Each structure stands twice: as structure tokens, then as C-alpha cells.
């Protein structure tokens, strides 16, 4: 269920209306062309030979057998196509002295993660290319893998990139004392240590490695035969890809055209200039023929970038009645073997979110990015913000337990009150609007919080096998990624503006060319609603065109829940310009003064009369151009660019109840309620869908998904049998709702929603699991909280786990509970798994 409460704007006919997604007809009935479906005469197929070793010298590559296979057109090593000389781009150098080792498109002399490409086979069919790739013999001399971030930073550690002399990529620090946005954390912690009315609590949390499992695997087709080289790619970022290809390969940008046709999901995993895209381009140019590469699912799991993978050390100073005095965050973030397009900046986005919705007087964030011999990490739904939200929301529960304060009450004591907005946080962001009380009150009521707490007590008293746990998570996030100036101050390599152009057709229909690029978000529907409202034309009369740099030549693409809050506003501004340009022509047609005209419902009317012309009439008059005013161009098309002054800050309260089977450790979702505030809602159905999808992903991190490596650096979840994506059967029906405090940073009052569900849900679920089992002495369980881990945690805490169980817990992928958490002033933490 979705409801919109407290809207300040009266609902317009289209904005705020549930509309089914018009693009779904073609997307879900197979009437579209994904990149892999591009049919070009003479298309060749490329397969990549990948290293089975995490870290090894390449001593020789024998391609002779593969070359003999009928149908094979060529077999190339990195040197053959210059792929070893390429430096794939990293657009976010977070510090001046950040170490950015070379990232070739194919490895030349050394591989640094299992799955890195070392050679390619090009053949007349994909099957031949794959079979022949098996025949390429590579002579590897194995090196020691680098797997553990803490070990990687020790003196004498094996280096992933010996040429940079360290496994540390960069250290990035924010200190509110130095920034002048708050006090010194060192002082706050030391004052708390000396104060009997305060406690200092330390916890270590792990963000396991995840894989953004998009439905459509990555794929690219390059056709070099025309005047412009055309690349189709299943990418989230066609514009960025085009510019980066030009810069990386020294190609003239005007000779490049990138097309992202319909793209089947991305979740951040397709924000990349992928080595495979570059290799396909290099081979296509060498051969002068069109070439296609499409990954297998296993290739995708192994080599498309991963997400998360952090160790978080949080130390909080808090008064015994629950008021936060200071928060210190130390992070280690695993970059994997190389730097992705925005990889180093992902944990830095989290720097601004650990303080979350709370008033924290002193804050320090200190992050070290580390190289390991694993697949590289980069943006994954939420990028830095789910990690931060997890850290602080887990910590809030730890504080609540430690101080014996009801967890929601603790949050209430510390959050920013609605009358305090706009509020500048300790990490220097200014939250424009929000109402945490309203969202929370609605969530509590929908959840029947008190009723479930009663049931929990009853089950405890009866000693039921299935115990109830209740978890809370509140959240806010910075999204609508822009403003350009702020991104610049964070050393991000691009701006944050977005564009839209409206082309008015002679028959009064509108083609809207947008710079953002959907891959499942329903843009064509929601954006048609906006433009229909603003121009006063029918929803069906608006066409949204995207994803082709030839028609949409300017844009910064889709990520960071920015498409509506930035791109949508560019559409509003373009529509306003269309009306502005149409006005003198309408006045001319009506033989009236422009000052006497008003525009409503798609029509210019002379005030106080029923004389009027529609925008469609003006469009036709402009097309004929027989009679239009002197000095005015016969053209009412318009282009606009929007660069907001601030992020948008959606927020919400998520409540989760789980049943934990104390005999099997199985966690069953019992109830999930969330109330999100995304400002003005354009399409409630789409918003609800976005939240549902996000919840599935966040819950999956808490309960199911993990990409672990064994001690040789081999990925253990290389298929979807091992990487446990939840199915519908693993989830329940979610109860979602919205409150609406419109954003003041854009004229629609909208805030992003694409990442919200993912950000808030993970800590809500883990807090619920722990709430069920704390009674046995369990203090923490690493994610995902699998039945085995939960069962082991309960039995270890009770002292009933046997030797065999302990051995299993320490096995790779079991979460390794060897984390050191403690509470100063006497308390110690046990049972952490
Ligand atoms: N919307 C709305 N009203 C609001 C906010 C949003 O109607 N107040 C609508 C928008 O018009 C848009 C959709 O909701 O149709 C999402 O909008 P927005 O929050 O601006 O997010 P983006 O369109 O920029 O999408 C990016 C975001 C991110 S960062 C990830 S990751 C993600 C996500 O979207 N990946 C997705 N949602 C996904 N959904 C699908 N199906 N597949 C993915 O890969």
C-alpha cells in the first residue's frame, strides 16, 4: 500500500498518479532489443580467456591450438592489441596522493585477481569462441594472494602492485573538529572515559562482499565500419562511457557513438568503463569488423565489479541517559585488485552518512582503501550509504541494549526534530527538509509495534522454539547526485548537472530527449507524467528518448538516485522554456498582448475571455511558419540543464520482525513495514516498486548473499547456486507507505527513491535477528545471518557448540567471528560470530 500524507502541493492530474509502466509491455514480453540481440551482418563473437589464479606471473601464452579451430578468426594476447598499455579510468581520485596503479584492459605480465582477462578469441560464433578459448594455454607462476585487508597493510605484506610500494590506495579523513562543524572526537571520547555519567562503546562490523546481480548480463557490440564507431553496451552510463573511451584510447569523441538500448538492471554494477568494452573495441578496430562480447552468468559473478566489503570500527561516546556525544569511525575498504570508475569514492560517500539522522556534536571518519587480489569493488545500490547506515543503526541498537533504553526511544532522543530543519550536520551537509517523527509514528502504528513486543515476551516466557525478534532502522541518505560544485570539492571527476530537450512535433506531441538512462526505473512513464503535466498535453502524447549519444548528446547518466531529482527538473525547466517560446507566437495568433495571456491546462488564453489556442496549435503554426511574429524564430523546442544547489535527503523508518528457529537457526521474515519520505511522489506505483526491489536487495545482504574467497583467492560463489539471491519464496509481502516533506532544493519537491529500500533494510533485519537471540547471550552475528551462523551463535553463546562446529565456523566463507568488540568500563563482548 502506498499513501501520500501531508502533501503541500495539490495533486496535479498526472503527478501523483498511479500509472503502470508503459515500457513494461515491450520489456517483459521480449519485444525489445537488448545489446546481445543486435543483429549486424558479419558480426564476430569474442570470448575472453581468464586467469584461474588470483595472483600470478604470466610466463607464456600459447595460442596455436585455439587458432587452428575452424571458425576462429583470431586469438590475441594483450600485447597483440595494445590492451596491456591501456589505463582504464578511475574518475574519483579521492586524495592528491591516491595510488592509482595501472589497470590494463587485458593483463600483460601479471594477473591480480582470479578472472582477470589474459587473451581473447574471436570467432564466427559465440560457441566456437568459447570452445577455442579453452584451448589457449597460459603458463602461470603463482604468487601469494593478498586476501585480508589488515594483513595487506602490515609491513612485509605481499604487494598487489609492487610498483606503488604499498597495498594502501588512499587514506581519507574527515574531522569535525578540524572542519569546524563540531567538536573534537578525541576530546569527546576522552571526556566520556573520565565521566561516570557516560560510556564509550566500541564495535566492529563487517560489510561482506556482494555482487550486483543484474538480470541482463553485461554485453557490448562494437561496429567500426561506419563513419562513426558505434558501441552498443548494456551500460548505465552511455555518456560517461563515450567520453571516457575517447580520453582513454585517444579516439576523437566526434567519431564515437554509444548506445545503451534497453538495459536489464544495473544496481551500480554497470557504472563502468569495463575492460571487456575496451577489448571488444580494440579487436573490432583491428579487424575492421563488428564484434560482440556477452558475458556468461559465471563471468558476471566473477568479474563484473563487486560491492561493499568493509571492516567498520565504530566508537561512540554516549551519556547514560542516551545522548550521543561523539562518534569515531575507522574503515577499511577493500578495493580489490584495481580501482573502478568511482570505486575509491564509494566509502567516502558513507563519510557523510554515519551521523545519519542524528545530532552528533563530534565526529571523525578515517577510511583506508586497500588493494587485495580480488575482483575490484565499486558502486553497488546505495554505494557507501548502506554501509554507513548499517554501522550507525547497528550501533544504536548496541547502545540501547547497553544502556537499557528502548531502541526507538534512543533514536528519538538523538534525531533532528522536524522543526529544526534545515539542519547542518556535523559532517557539513545541510538537510533541507524531513520529518522523522511523522514517518516513525506511522511505521509504528502500521507495524503494531506494541502488539509484537507483547507477543515477543509471551514467546520468551513459553520458551518457544521460534522466537520473535524486532529490528528498527531509521535512515536518511544524500542522493540526487549533484551539485557539481560539491562533487568538485570531493575531487569527483565529473559534474552533477543533467539535461533535457523537448522537441514539439507539428501535431502537438512531444519528444523528450533526456540525459539520464534507465535500466529498470520506469523513467519513460514517470517522466512522461511530468512533461504531460507541465505542457498540459496527454500522457500518451509524450515520448521519452534516452540512451543514444547521437540523439541525447549531453547527459551524466543514472546512478545515485539522481534521475528524477536532477534530470526530472531539467525536464520541468525545458517545458517552461517551451511555454515561454510559444507565448509570443500564441499572442500573435490571438492578436493579443503577451501580458494578457495565461497558460493553463495546455492552453494559452486571453485573461478574462474564452479566447485561446492550445500548445498543439502553436506547434502546428510553427511548423507551417506562414505567419509568425517579427524577430521570433519559428521554433518552440527547448533545452535545459539543471544543476541543483544541494543533494536531496529522503529518509524513512523501517521495522522488521523475524522468527528465529532456535533449533535450526533458520530466520523467517515475519513482518516488514517501512514508511519512506521521498518528498513529492511522481508515480506512487513506481515508488512502491522501487522500494520493494530495494528491500529485497537489502534483506538479501542481511540474510542470504555473500561473495567469499577461499585461501587461494578463488571466488566461492561463482554460480547462482552458490550466490544465494533470494527468490520470491524467501521474502514476504512488504507493507510500504510514504510521508511527504517536499524537498526545497528543486521545484518539484522530489527526493530520490532508487536506493532507499536497500539502505534502510539491512540493519533492520540484522537488528531483528539479534533481538531474537540476545537472550541466549549472543552479541553479534556476521552477515549474512545464515541458519548455520545463527545456530552456531546460539549454541556457542550457550556453550553447547561442539568442536566440529567451531571448526566449521572458522572455515572460509563462514564469516569469521574473530572480531574484537568491546565496551569500555567493564563490559566485554562474547558470542560474536
Ligand atoms: N520516482 C517518483 N517519485 C519520487 C522519486 C522517484 O516517482 N519522489 C520515480 C522516478 O521518476 C523514477 C524512479 O522512481 O522513475 C527512480 O527514481 P530515482 O530515485 O531518481 O532513481 P534513478 O532513476 O536515478 O535510478 C537509480 C537508482 C539506483 S542508484 C539504483 S542502484 C537502482 C535503482 O535506481 N538500480 C535499479 N533502481 C533500480 N531498479 C531496477 N529495476 N533496476 C536497477 O538496476
Amino acid at each position: 500500500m502506498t499513501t501520500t500524507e501531508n502533501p503541500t502541493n495539490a495533486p496535479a492530474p498526472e503527478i501523483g498518479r498511479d500509472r503502470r509502466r508503459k515500457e513494461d509491455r515491450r520489456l517483459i514480453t521480449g519485444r525489445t532489443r537488448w545489446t546481445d540481440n543486435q543483429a549486424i551482418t558479419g558480426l564476430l563473437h569474442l570470448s575472453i580467456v581468464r586467469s584461474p589464479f588470483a595472483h600470478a606471473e604470466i610466463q607464456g601464452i600459447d595460442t596455436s591450438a585455439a587458432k587452428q579451430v575452424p571458425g576462429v578468426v583470431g586469438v590475441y594476447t594483450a600485447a597483440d592489441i595494445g590492451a596491456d598499455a591501456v589505463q582504464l579510468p578511475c574518475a574519483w581520485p579521492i586524495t592528491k596522493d591516491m595510488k592509482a596503479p595501472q589497470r590494463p584492459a587485458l593483463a600483460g605480465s601479471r594477473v591480480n585477481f582470479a578472472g582477470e582477462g589474459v587473451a581473447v578469441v574471436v570467432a564466427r560464433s559465440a560457441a566456437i569462441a568459447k570452445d577455442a578459448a579453452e584451448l589457449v594455454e597460459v603458463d602461470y607462476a603463482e604468487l601469494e594472494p593478498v586476501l585480508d585487508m589488515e594483513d595487506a597493510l602490515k609491513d612485509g605484506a605481499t604487494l598487489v602492485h609492487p610498483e606503488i610500494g604499498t597495498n594502501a590506495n588512499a587514506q581519507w579523513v574527515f574531522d569535525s573538529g578540524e572542519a569546524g562543524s563540531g567538536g573534537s572526537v578525541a576530546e569527546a571520547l576522552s571526556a566520556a572515559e573520565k565521566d561516570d555519567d557516560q560510556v564509550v562503546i566500541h564495535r566492529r562490523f563487517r560489510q561482506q562482499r556482494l555482487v550486483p546481480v543484474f538480470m541482463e548480463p553485461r554485453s557490448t557490440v562494437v561496429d567500426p565500419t561506419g563513419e562513426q564507431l558505434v558501441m552498443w553496451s548494456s551500460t548505465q552510463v552511455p555518456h560517461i562511457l563515450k567520453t571516457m573511451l575517447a580520453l582513454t584510447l585517444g579516439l576523437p569523441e566526434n567519431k564515437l557513438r554509444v548506445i545503451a538500448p534497453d538495459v536489464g538492471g544495473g544496481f551500480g554494477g554497470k557504472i563502468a568503463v569495463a575492460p571487456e568494452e575496451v577489448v571488444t573495441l580494440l579487436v573490432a578496430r583491428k579487424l575492421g569488423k563488428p564484434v560482440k562480447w556477452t558475458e556468461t552468468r559465471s563471468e558476471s559473478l566473477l568479474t563484473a565489479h563487486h560491492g561493499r566489503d568493509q571492516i567498520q570500527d565504530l566508537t561512540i561516546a554516549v551519556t547514560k541517559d542516551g545522548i550521543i556525544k561523539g562518534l569515531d569511525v575507522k574503515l577499511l575498504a577493500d578495493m580489490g585488485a584495481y580501482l573502478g570508475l568511482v570505486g575509491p569514492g564509494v566509502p567516502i560517500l558513507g563519510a557523510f552518512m554515519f551521523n545519519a539522522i542524528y545530532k552528533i556534536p563530534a565526529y571523525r571518519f578515517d577510511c583506508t582503501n586497500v588493494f587485495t587480489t580480488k575482483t575490484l569493488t565499486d558502486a553497488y545500490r546505495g554505494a557507501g550509504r548502506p554501509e554507513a547506515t548499517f554501522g550507525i543503526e547497528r550501533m544504536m541498537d548496541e547502545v540501547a541494549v547497553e544502556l537499557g533504553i528502548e531502541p526507538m526511544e534512543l533514536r528519538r532522543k538523538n534525531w533532528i526534530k522536524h522543526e529544526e530543519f534545515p539542519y547542518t550536520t556535523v559532517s557539513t551537509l545541510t538537510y533541507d527538509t524531513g520529518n522523522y517523527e511523522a514517518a516513525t509514528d506511522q511505521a509504528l502504528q502500521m507495524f503494531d509495534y506494541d502488539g509484537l513486543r507483547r507477543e515477543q515476551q509471551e514467546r520468551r516466557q513459553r520458551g518457544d522454539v521460534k522466537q520473535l525478534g524486532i529490528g528498527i532502522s531509521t535512515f536518511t541518505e544524500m542522493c540526487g547526485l549533484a551539485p557539481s560544485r560539491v562533487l568538485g570539492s570531493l575531487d569527483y571527476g565529473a559534474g552533477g548537472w543533467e539535461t533535457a530537450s523537448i522537441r514539439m512535433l507539428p501535431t502537438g506531441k512531444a519528444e523528450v530527449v533526456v540525459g539520464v538512462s534507465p535500466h529498470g526505473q520506469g523513467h519513460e512513464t514517470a517522466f512522461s507524467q511530468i512533461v504531460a503535466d507541465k505542457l498540459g498535453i496527454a500522457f500518451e502524447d509524450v515520448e521519452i528518448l534516452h540512451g543514444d549519444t547521437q540523439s541525447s548528446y549531453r547527459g551524466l547518466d543514472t546512478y545515485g538516485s539522481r534521475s528524477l531529482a536532477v534530470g526530472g527538473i531539467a525536464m520541468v525547466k525545458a517545458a517552461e522554456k517551451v511555454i515561454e517560446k510559444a507565448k509570443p507566437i500564441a499572442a500573435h495568433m490571438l492578436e493579443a498582448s503577451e501580458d494578457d495571456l495565461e497558460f493553463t491546462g495546455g492552453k494559452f488564453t486571453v485573461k478574462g475571455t474564452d479566447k485561446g489556442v492550445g500548445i498543439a496549435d502553436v506547434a502546428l503554426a510553427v511548423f507551417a511558419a506562414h505567419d509568425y511574429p517579427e524577430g521570433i524564430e519559428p521554433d518552440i523546442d527547448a533545452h535545459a540543464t539543471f544543476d541543483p544547489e544541494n543533494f536531496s535527503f529522503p529518509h524513512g523508518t523501517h521495522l522488521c520482525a523475524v522468527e528465529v528457529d532456535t533449533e535450526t537457526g533458520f530466520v523467517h521474515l515475519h513482518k516488514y513495514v517501512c514508511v519512506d519520505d521521498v518528498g513529492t511522489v511522481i508515480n506512487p506505483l513506481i515508488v512502491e516498486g522501487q522500494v520493494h526491489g530495494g528491500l529485497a536487495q537489502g534483506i538479501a545482504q542481511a540474510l542470504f548473499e555473500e561473495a567469499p574467497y577461499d585461501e587461494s583467492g578463488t571466488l566461492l560463489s561463482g554460480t547462482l547456486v552458490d550466490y544465494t539471491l533470494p527468490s520470491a519464496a524467501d521474502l514476504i509481502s512488504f507493507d510500504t507507505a510514504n510521508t511527504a516533506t517536499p524537498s526545497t532544493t528543486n521545484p518539484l519537491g522530489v527526493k530520490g527513491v532508487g536506493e532507499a529500500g536497500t539502505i534502510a533494510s539491512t540493519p533492520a533485519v540484522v537488528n531483528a535477528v539479534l533481538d531474537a537471540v540476545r537472550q541466549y547471550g549472543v552479541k553479534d552475528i556476521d552477515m549474512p545471518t545464515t541458519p548455520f551462523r545463527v545456530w552456531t551463535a546460539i549454541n556457542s553463546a550457550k556453550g553447547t557448540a561442539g568442536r566440529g562446529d567451531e571448526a566449521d565456523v572458522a572455515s572460509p566463507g563462514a564469516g569469521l567471528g574473530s572480531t574484537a568488540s568491546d565496551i569500555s568500563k567493564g563490559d566485554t563482548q562474547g558470542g560474536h560470530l
Side-chain angles (χ1 to χ4, degrees):
M1 178 196 70
T2 298
T3 56
T4 302
E5 294 239 325
N6 316 322
T8 56
N9 298 331
E14 281 295 339
I15 291 178
R17 174 172 174 179
D18 272 342
R19 269 202 182 268
R20 287 183 180 274
R21 306 195 319 181
K22 61 176 168 179
E23 51 269 65
D24 281 354
R25 185 183 294 272
R26 70 169 196 279
L27 292 177
I28 64 180
T29 58
R31 286 180 210 156
T32 188
R33 275 203 175 175
W34 310 103
T35 297
D36 187 59
N37 300 133
Q38 297 307 320
I40 303 175
T41 310
L43 185 64
L44 298 172
H45 302 263
L46 183 143
S47 181
I48 298 177
V49 180
R50 297 186 180 276
S51 167
F53 299 110
H55 204 194
E57 300 284 355
I58 300 171
Q59 299 196 316
I61 301 181
D62 182 355
T63 59
S64 52
K67 282 180 175 154
Q68 300 307 314
V69 176
V72 167
V73 173
V75 183
Y76 307 107
T77 63
D80 294 337
I81 52 171
D84 51 350
V86 169
Q87 165 65 312
L88 287 168
C90 169
W92 202 338
I94 54 170
T95 59
K96 299 273 175 278
D97 59 352
M98 180 182 94
K99 305 279 190 303
Q102 196 215 348
R103 183 183 171 208
L106 282 179
S109 56
R110 203 179 61 228
V111 288
N112 288 320
F113 69 97
E116 186 165 6
V118 295
V120 295
V121 177
V122 186
R124 301 209 183 283
S125 80
I128 295 172
K130 280 195 179 65
D131 286 350
E134 302 276 319
L135 300 177
V136 174
E137 297 219 350
V138 186
D139 187 8
Y140 295 100
E142 272 192 83
L143 301 166
E144 200 187 343
V146 180
L147 300 169
D148 181 275
M149 284 193 277
E150 288 175 301
D151 288 348
L153 294 177
K154 287 180 184 155
D155 285 346
T158 299
L159 296 179
V160 183
H161 300 283
E163 67 278 12
I164 60 170
T166 172
N167 285 324
N169 150 252
Q171 186 186 15
W172 194 95
V173 177
F174 172 85
D175 188 311
S176 64
E178 286 165 19
S181 56
S184 145
V185 159
E187 284 170 18
L189 295 181
S190 107
E193 291 281 6
K194 292 178 203 131
D195 183 349
D196 285 343
D197 289 330
Q198 293 191 46
V199 290
V200 176
I201 299 175
H202 169 70
R203 287 288 183 273
R204 167 170 280 205
F205 303 120
R206 284 172 190 259
Q207 284 283 320
Q208 80 269 36
R209 189 174 264 259
L210 298 177
V211 185
V213 185
F214 25 78
M215 209 180 288
E216 179 205 15
R218 294 177 304 153
S219 178
T220 190
V221 173
V222 177
D223 184 355
T225 59
E227 186 56 32
Q228 279 188 318
L229 182 145
V230 185
M231 172 183 278
W232 288 262
S233 182
S234 168
T235 180
Q236 288 176 233
V237 288
H239 297 91
I240 291 174
L241 180 58
K242 180 184 169 187
T243 303
M244 286 296 171
L245 285 174
L247 293 173
T248 303
L249 300 175
L251 301 174
E253 198 176 356
N254 57 318
K255 295 292 178 191
L256 280 174
R257 175 181 175 194
V258 174
I259 303 172
D262 282 326
V263 174
F267 308 118
K270 291 177 181 170
I271 297 186
V273 178
E276 294 87 353
E277 287 164 330
V278 171
V279 167
T280 308
L281 190 155
L282 292 174
V283 170
R285 280 215 310 169
K286 184 179 179 75
L287 295 172
K289 300 216 166 101
V291 178
K292 175 168 87 175
W293 167 80
T294 299
E295 68 185 352
T296 63
R297 183 57 71 184
S298 290
E299 251 183 317
S300 186
L301 290 166
L302 182 64
T303 66
H305 72 240
H306 293 173
R308 315 280 193 260
D309 209 345
Q310 294 182 353
I311 299 175
Q312 309 176 322
D313 281 294
L314 272 68
T315 309
I316 196 164
V318 55
T319 65
K320 284 188 172 161
D321 58 359
I323 304 299
I324 301 170
K325 292 298 196 183
L327 176 68
D328 182 72
V329 176
K330 287 196 179 60
L331 282 195
L332 291 180
D334 193 339
M335 295 290 103
Y338 299 104
L339 298 180
L341 189 64
V342 296
V346 166
I348 308 313
L349 285 175
F352 300 93
M353 291 285 105
F354 271 96
N355 51 283
I357 66 168
Y358 306 115
K359 293 181 276 190
I360 297 181
Y363 170 58
R364 189 169 194 278
F365 172 92
D366 181 338
C367 173
T368 301
N369 290 342
V370 186
F371 289 115
T372 59
T373 53
K374 298 182 192 169
T375 299
L376 63 88
T377 61
D378 206 317
Y380 174 49
R381 204 167 191 171
R385 292 152 290 162
E387 295 92 318
T389 302
F390 182 86
I392 186 67
E393 287 302 299
R394 280 286 299 108
M395 189 52 129
M396 290 307 276
D397 262 30
E398 294 296 306
V399 171
V401 169
E402 186 56 25
L403 299 179
I405 300 176
E406 209 284 325
M408 190 61 92
E409 190 48 37
L410 178 75
R411 287 167 170 86
R412 273 187 202 278
K413 279 174 182 255
N414 287 285
W415 72 37
I416 301 155
K417 300 198 172 30
H418 72 274
E419 64 272 14
E420 292 172 309
F421 288 88
Y423 183 90
T424 300
T425 71
V426 72
S427 61
T428 70
L429 296 181
T430 299
Y431 297 170
D432 57 345
T433 60
N435 190 335
Y436 309 139
E437 297 92 325
T440 301
D441 290 346
Q442 189 171 340
L444 289 172
Q445 183 258 322
M446 286 167 63
F447 191 70
D448 185 19
Y449 189 78
D450 295 338
L452 280 166
R453 283 278 181 220
R454 271 196 303 280
E455 185 184 338
Q456 180 181 46
Q457 279 312 316
E458 286 160 15
R459 290 196 196 199
R460 282 187 188 170
Q461 276 154 14
R462 288 197 301 267
D464 283 6
V465 170
K466 289 185 180 165
Q467 288 291 318
L468 208 57
I470 294 169
I472 294 169
S473 167
T474 56
F475 87 103
T476 188
E477 58 151 329
M478 57 198 279
C479 68
L481 287 192
S484 300
R485 284 193 202 90
V486 176
L487 296 181
S489 73
L490 293 172
D491 300 308
Y492 181 66
W497 45 261
E498 201 42 76
T499 66
S501 307
I502 299 183
R503 308 199 292 234
M504 288 306 296
L505 304 179
T507 53
K509 322 282 183 199
E511 288 177 343
V512 186
V513 184
V514 296
V516 293
S517 190
H519 41 281
Q521 293 88 352
H523 287 177
E524 290 173 29
T525 304
F527 296 168
S528 296
Q529 291 178 265
I530 295 172
V531 175
D533 256 9
K534 295 296 161 193
L535 291 181
I537 62 177
F539 169 80
E540 292 75 16
D541 291 346
V542 184
E543 207 63 31
I544 305 294
L545 306 176
H546 54 76
D548 181 345
T549 60
Q550 192 170 68
S551 51
S552 157
Y553 65 93
R554 199 161 186 260
L556 285 169
D557 309 317
T558 289
Y559 45 85
S561 301
R562 65 189 302 276
S563 301
L564 175 63
V566 192
I569 309 309
M571 286 164 232
V572 171
K573 296 206 166 290
E576 286 167 359
K577 285 188 183 177
V578 167
I579 295 162
E580 205 48 41
K581 286 177 86 175
K583 199 172 188 183
I585 300 169
H588 181 77
M589 291 166 77
L590 291 164
E591 295 175 343
S593 154
E594 275 185 62
D595 297 339
D596 292 338
L597 293 194
E598 56 189 9
F599 183 78
T600 46
K603 209 168 170 187
F604 291 97
T605 45
V606 182
K607 286 176 201 158
T609 74
D610 59 357
K611 259 179 75 177
V613 287
I615 189 92
D617 303 316
V618 179
L620 188 61
V622 161
F623 171 70
H626 295 162
D627 182 19
Y628 59 95
E630 288 290 324
I632 299 277
E633 290 176 29
D635 178 4
I636 57 170
D637 294 355
H639 178 82
T641 298
F642 181 61
D643 194 355
E645 286 177 5
N646 198 354
F647 302 101
S648 82
F649 300 98
H651 67 82
T653 299
H654 289 224
L655 299 170
C656 174
V658 296
E659 265 184 346
V660 177
D661 187 320
T662 54
E663 289 180 349
T664 64
F666 188 84
V667 177
H668 172 73
L669 286 174
H670 183 67
K671 189 167 192 175
Y672 199 100
V673 164
C674 62
V675 178
D676 286 294
D677 193 322
V678 296
T680 307
V681 171
I682 302 300
N683 182 323
L685 257 187
I686 290 179
V687 164
E688 189 180 359
Q690 286 291 309
V691 172
H692 275 237
L695 291 178
Q697 268 173 317
I699 291 169
Q701 174 170 15
L703 296 179
F704 305 114
E705 294 181 19
E706 181 174 30
Y709 281 79
D710 73 7
E711 64 285 350
S712 71
T714 302
L715 179 68
L716 293 175
S717 60
T719 73
L720 285 182
V721 174
D722 314 292
Y723 191 81
T724 42
L725 274 188
S727 73
D730 297 309
L731 301 170
I732 53 170
S733 189
F734 309 126
D735 291 327
T736 68
N738 294 107
T739 52
T741 49
S743 171
T744 54
T745 63
N746 64 71
L748 285 176
V750 294
K751 307 176 184 181
V753 75
E755 297 153 298
T758 311
I759 292 173
S761 53
T762 311
V765 177
V766 175
N767 281 339
V769 173
L770 288 166
D771 186 52
V773 299
R774 260 202 200 90
Q775 55 183 312
Y776 308 113
V778 176
K779 296 283 176 83
D780 201 3
I781 304 175
D782 276 347
M783 294 188 289
T785 56
T786 57
F788 177 75
R789 282 190 188 144
V790 174
W791 182 88
T792 309
I794 294 170
N795 286 287
S796 297
K798 285 177 172 174
T800 52
R803 286 168 56 94
D805 310 326
E806 283 159 25
D808 277 342
V809 170
S811 70
L816 308 180
S818 52
T819 57
S821 299
D822 65 84
I823 299 169
S824 65
K825 300 185 182 164
D827 196 2
T828 53
Q829 169 144 324
H832 178 113
L833 284 166

